[in-house]
Amino acid sequence: MNQIFKQVCFNNIKRFNKITNNKNKFSNGIIIYREFSSSNDNKVTFTFINKDGSKTKVTEEVGKNILESAHDNDIDLEGACECSCACSTCHVYLEPRIYNILPEPTDEENDMLDLAFQLKENSRLGCQIKLTKELEGMEVTLPSASRNMTVDGYKPPKH
């Protein structure tokens, strides 16, 4: 924890103790910090439908993309180009209601989608979809296979 953050926390604990007449200098401050740090305001919960049909429910931070979320939760979504929009191995299917609220794919994403295995009207690249609160409860379906131009089956390690 950096020094500035420690000082801000300490000052907030002192302020809380003064307002509530709390004599124990640190106990309630720790409770406040725990409540603050476990807030779900910046989280999105959604479900991956895996290649075998099983479902995996995940909760991830707003701002991450679908590919990063898959890797963080051991979902079998390849991502050979590591989010540089230079392959189609993170190709996923989105529900129509989700697909329709997202911005249009860029020309670069469309070019890569043209290479995707089993392309459908609701196909997108997982690395290009940033999580927002509007995506809460969505289902992301993985295609049965992907097309990797480098080494078949290669999966880059987590960073």
Side-chain angles (χ1 to χ4, degrees):
M1 211 184 305
N2 70 35
Q3 193 59 36
I4 294 171
F5 183 72
K6 285 180 186 176
Q7 188 61 45
V8 169
C9 287
F10 181 73
N11 289 343
N12 287 335
I13 292 168
K14 284 182 6 185
R15 195 172 307 129
F16 173 81
N17 288 338
K18 186 176 182 181
I19 293 169
T20 62
N21 263 341
N22 185 14
K23 303 298 181 208
N24 186 345
K25 288 185 177 180
F26 297 104
S27 66
N28 284 338
I30 292 168
I31 293 168
I32 286 172
Y33 176 73
R34 179 190 272 152
E35 288 175 5
F36 174 78
S37 64
S38 67
S39 170
N40 281 337
D41 290 343
N42 293 330
K43 304 270 186 182
V44 177
T45 299
F46 63 99
T47 303
F48 284 100
I49 301 176
N50 300 298
K51 295 174 183 180
D52 64 2
S54 64
K55 294 184 177 187
T56 305
K57 191 173 188 175
V58 300
T59 301
E60 287 291 334
E61 291 181 23
V62 167
K64 270 190 172 182
N65 64 45
I66 290 174
L67 177 61
E68 293 166 333
S69 300
H71 287 181
D72 289 348
N73 291 280
D74 296 321
I75 304 295
D76 190 20
L77 187 59
E78 190 171 340
C81 72
E82 300 178 12
C83 298
S84 64
C85 198
C87 72
S88 63
T89 60
C90 66
H91 165 232
V92 296
Y93 305 121
L94 302 175
E95 304 168 74
R97 73 173 181 88
I98 297 297
Y99 185 90
N100 292 330
I101 65 171
L102 292 172
E104 291 288 319
T106 63
D107 289 343
E108 292 82 9
E109 182 179 357
N110 277 326
D111 288 345
M112 291 299 107
L113 282 169
D114 287 342
L115 304 173
F117 185 73
Q118 297 177 335
L119 186 67
K120 296 182 181 178
E121 287 183 18
N122 61 334
S123 291
R124 291 295 299 263
L125 296 181
C127 68
Q128 299 301 301
I129 308 300
K130 297 280 185 200
L131 297 177
T132 64
K133 290 302 279 181
E134 291 78 25
L135 303 181
E136 181 74 35
M138 75 173 165
E139 289 188 340
V140 176
T141 304
L142 306 184
S144 61
S146 70
R147 187 172 286 144
N148 187 334
M149 299 299 184
T150 55
V151 179
D152 212 18
Y154 169 76
K155 292 185 179 116
K158 291 182 189 176
H159 295 287

